[in-house]
Amino acid sequence: MEKPANRARLVKAPEHFISQELIADINTNGLDETRRGFLRKGFMSAVGGAAASLAAPLAFAAGEGDPAILEKQEWQTTLGKNVATMPYGVPSIYEANLIRRESPGLTRVSAASVAFTPLQGLFGTITPNGLHFERHHQGWYNLNPETHRLMVNGLVKNARVFTMNDLMRLPSVSRTHFIECGANTGLEWGNVAVPTVQYTHGMLSCCEFTGVPLKVLLEECGADLKKGKFLLAEGGDGSGMTRTINLESCLDDTIVAWSMNGEMLRPENGFPLRLVVPGVQGVSWVKWLRRLEVGDMPWNAKDEAVHYIELMPDGMHRQYASIQECKSVITTPSGGQQLLDKGFYNVSGMAWSGRGKIKRVDVSFDGGNNWRTARLETPILTKSITRFNIDWVWDGSPAILQSRAVDDTGYIQPSIKVLRDLRGNRSIYHNNAIQSWKLDSNGEVSNVQVG
Amino acid sequence: MFKLVNLIARLSLVSALALTAQLSIAQSTQGTQGSTKFPGIGRNATPAEVIAWDIDVRPDFKGLPKGSGSVEQGQAIWESKCASCHGVFGESNEIFTPIAGGTTADDIKTGRVASLADRKQPQRTTLMKVPTVSTLWDYIYRAMPWNAPRSLTPNDTYALVAFILSLGEIVPDDFVLSDANIAEVQKKMPNRNGMTRNHGFWSVNGKPDVNGSSCMTNCVKFVQIGSTLPDFARNAHGNIAEQNRLYGPYRGSDSTKPPLAKLPGSSGEGLAHAADTHAASTKGPAALFKNENCSACHAPNAKLVGPSIADIAAKYKGQSGAQEKLMAKVKNGGSGVWGAIPMPPQSQLSDEDRATLVRWVLTGQ
């Protein structure tokens, strides 16, 4: 029994019985039952023996749990970066694999080439600006917006010139639309040619564009829209890209746009000004737009007389094939991807139509024999990408995944066989066939054509 | 005090007058400028401005400037400015599709290029496709040569179009093309009747030519795979593992290796190699070479506009001072070593970048 006098004696507390990490952890995250337990354990060992107290860091034996939980991480225990360290942010370093890519051997010179959007890694409907596909005919430039001009001439009362300052004062609209190159999926007219959805479907992007409606500009210049049924859009780059726009069909929703997803257009997408022609193939969305001419006949420009024409089996070329018809593709899983294990998956993809809204998407897991209707995510906008999702439990057996979109005109996305039976296999353009992805029992997904 | 107030009043009056004057100028300008709905926005184009920009030439030849050029003149321009990309006879398939070939005298009569239907031609050339001679004129004038667009005169353009037409035997070798006779030439274009607009893709309200099936169950008796990517092409687009997210349920396959024998398992076992991969973002001299547009004219192993990197490296192999010599050439431009096409000076490059690029070209390092 202790003597009463000893009760008042001060006993020195054991020092260094908890680790620096635990001190930092408690300072950052406070005390909870687990940390109290650590303290108690540490204190007991400190009292019990000096050697034990020094060697008492926060340590767990293997098998006690997930190291990602049990071990402290650098980002939990050190000071992070300051705000505005990256004043115009960039994606995580762990996202560095999702970038625009060229298809090797597709073209000989990169200034007249294509870089494809990595659809396999995207979510939702909006394409990040840094991943919007690129297609140039003679390279891109950073045009100076201060000296950029837009001229409107032809069948107008007054041929007029607008600066960017002028245009950006006008009443603007902001609308979300997809843009798809007429040659998207064109590599696959004859055979399977490329491995992943980036190369099969990646000349496709979808953004919110802001600009002045074409109609407002044409009315302002006193355009004769009775005689003037056609518009020539001309680019300010070295290729002087020219395309005829069908005013009867496109006047109502065409935009002379300067913004994409809230920022100014990126240089490789036409900064400071491009035409947005919803539903129409991308080549008509003239970049670095500098001139609009109203006329009474189509121009038959190089890219509407030599390219962007579809060769039919009888040797005739379909000219001015402009509208991108209803189409869809499953993006996850897709070609070149690898499923880890059997079990539940969310299968997801994109659907779009140049003629209106997506009404329904069906998905097949057995090569088109049986179909289930997918969930459509909102918003469902006209001439825009709609995201679809469907639940799936994979039992580990081989499968062929397909999606089939229907738009609000009642048009149903066709199979490649239906398209080839009518148009042959030398078209290049406007291949909107159902895409098939084969899943092997080892989890690997590959690009195949069925039928 | 009174004086001051008076002064302020007078000043206000002056500025009010000035403002009125400005307004009346603006209004009168607006009157002549034709803008009613959005005052102060835009201005009328001057006639000279419209002439400078309105260079398009339509199939009815509206917009075509006066002028002329002979096949012979065209050949001379072609050989110095066009042949390096398009071949001496417009037959080259090296950089762009061939210009000439695949048309016959019979096609000129019918206006339909027969080889478009019979598949005997491996490539569709420009002359096989183009229905209107105006298209050739317009595009050459607005966008050629490839690396120096807008450098041709109207007469140069007439001459070049004449030369191309002679390659297709649409005009004789002694022909002189001009604004006066171009409409006659149009009547001989081999594929002038080869285009149709009889399809539903021109208008958003057009009628589609095909439609899919709405079948939901038991739709096909037998699912047959008609086409797959051959094994040798597995890695033709680079390592797919490096083109996908390194985490999440859908990873990229390592296409540098044969397919896995079994499922990787929930831990991703067997895909460890994929986790080691990093962005294939190209850095160093190869990226510099592309980003500085050197690749517009030079390829690693093939002759484009300029010599291939391999050829340059071979030529200067073992030469002392090659690095300095080539650095000077890159800076100041050069000509005559590899043919008639001059290399433009690359003054935008820093000395450091120039040194890096030349070292890379010469040594691959």
Side-chain angles (χ1 to χ4, degrees), chain B residues 222-302:
Chain B
F222 180 64
V223 176
Q224 188 179 14
I225 292 176
S227 176
T228 57
L229 211 58
D231 284 344
F232 67 79
R234 183 171 163 82
N235 201 36
H237 280 71
N239 187 354
I240 304 300
E242 295 175 355
Q243 303 177 23
N244 274 271
R245 208 160 261 126
L246 296 175
Y247 55 94
Y250 304 112
R251 313 281 177 88
S253 307
D254 185 346
S255 50
T256 64
K257 297 187 171 68
L260 299 170
K262 59 177 180 62
L263 278 170
S266 55
S267 64
E269 181 203 346
L271 292 179
H273 47 263
D276 299 334
T277 64
H278 294 288
S281 57
T282 44
K283 289 199 174 70
L288 197 60
F289 186 77
K290 181 178 172 180
N291 296 339
E292 292 298 332
N293 274 0
C294 313
S295 62
C297 297
H298 303 278
N301 289 302

Side-chain angles (χ1 to χ4, degrees), chain B residues 43-97:
Chain B
R43 62 169 178 82
N44 280 0
T46 69
E49 287 171 340
V50 176
I51 288 168
W53 273 18
D54 189 1
I55 61 165
D56 59 84
V57 179
R58 307 200 306 190
D60 62 355
F61 303 112
K62 184 172 172 285
L64 186 74
K66 286 196 185 317
S68 67
S70 69
V71 171
E72 199 184 348
Q73 289 162 340
Q75 184 169 7
I77 302 168
W78 180 271
E79 282 169 9
S80 67
K81 295 186 174 175
C82 318
S84 56
C85 281
H86 295 294
V88 175
F89 301 104
E91 81 295 354
S92 173
N93 194 28
E94 279 293 299
I95 298 174
F96 303 110
T97 43

Side-chain angles (χ1 to χ4, degrees), chain A residues 71-102:
Chain A
E71 289 168 14
K72 290 196 244 341
Q73 313 286 343
E74 186 199 352
W75 43 89
Q76 196 188 14
T77 55
T78 52
L79 182 62
K81 289 188 181 7
N82 290 332
V83 297
T85 299
M86 290 185 275
Y88 207 142
V90 293
S92 161
I93 54 168
Y94 298 104
E95 286 293 284
N97 283 355
L98 279 306
I99 54 173
R100 291 187 284 233
R101 288 169 198 277
E102 289 181 79

Side-chain angles (χ1 to χ4, degrees), chain A residues 198-404:
Chain A
Q198 178 158 19
Y199 305 109
T200 57
H201 290 74
M203 286 192 274
L204 170 75
S205 296
C206 185
C207 297
E208 184 197 63
F209 293 95
T210 298
V212 56
L214 171 68
K215 205 172 187 169
V216 168
L217 273 184
L218 292 186
E219 281 169 2
E220 178 67 4
C221 300
D224 180 353
L225 295 177
K226 282 214 175 83
K227 261 171 78 186
K229 298 289 182 203
F230 305 97
L231 183 79
L232 183 78
E234 183 179 279
D237 61 322
S239 81
M241 166 56 73
T242 37
R243 283 292 301 189
T244 300
I245 311 296
N246 180 0
L247 279 180
E248 273 180 318
S249 175
C250 309
L251 186 60
D252 284 338
D253 56 5
T254 298
I255 306 168
V256 174
W258 51 81
S259 166
M260 187 164 94
N261 292 336
E263 63 177 19
M264 283 300 282
L265 291 161
R266 295 281 174 103
E268 62 272 33
N269 298 117
F271 176 87
L273 203 62
R274 86 173 303 170
L275 202 61
V276 167
V277 196
V280 168
Q281 60 185 358
V283 64
S284 293
W285 298 39
V286 172
K287 299 197 291 271
W288 314 292
L289 181 71
R290 75 165 198 174
R291 194 166 69 90
L292 296 167
E293 180 175 348
V294 182
D296 57 2
M297 66 183 287
W299 271 262
N300 226 38
K302 187 264 280 178
D303 284 294
E304 48 202 32
V306 178
H307 306 298
Y308 302 93
I309 50 174
E310 290 181 85
L311 181 58
M312 301 300 283
D314 65 356
M316 285 296 274
H317 280 110
R318 278 183 174 174
Q319 198 178 15
Y320 300 110
S322 300
I323 304 295
Q324 295 295 106
E325 294 195 306
C326 186
K327 189 168 172 180
S328 71
V329 66
I330 293 172
T331 51
T332 48
S334 57
Q337 289 188 330
Q338 174 81 55
L339 273 62
L340 298 183
D341 211 341
K342 297 174 215 174
F344 182 86
Y345 285 91
N346 181 51
V347 170
S348 187
M350 303 164 157
W352 63 100
S353 169
R355 296 198 202 268
K357 287 182 185 173
I358 291 299
K359 200 172 138 200
R360 205 178 81 226
V361 177
D362 299 322
V363 173
S364 170
F365 295 95
D366 59 8
N369 195 27
N370 295 287
W371 298 83
R372 280 163 52 204
T373 299
R375 302 190 305 275
L376 300 187
E377 306 304 328
T378 53
I380 301 171
L381 301 168
T382 187
K383 302 171 188 175
S384 179
I385 283 177
T386 296
R387 173 64 63 170
F388 66 85
N389 289 298
I390 190 165
D391 297 347
W392 190 43
V393 177
W394 182 43
D395 65 4
S397 49
I400 295 175
L401 280 66
Q402 298 180 330
S403 66
R404 178 181 75 188

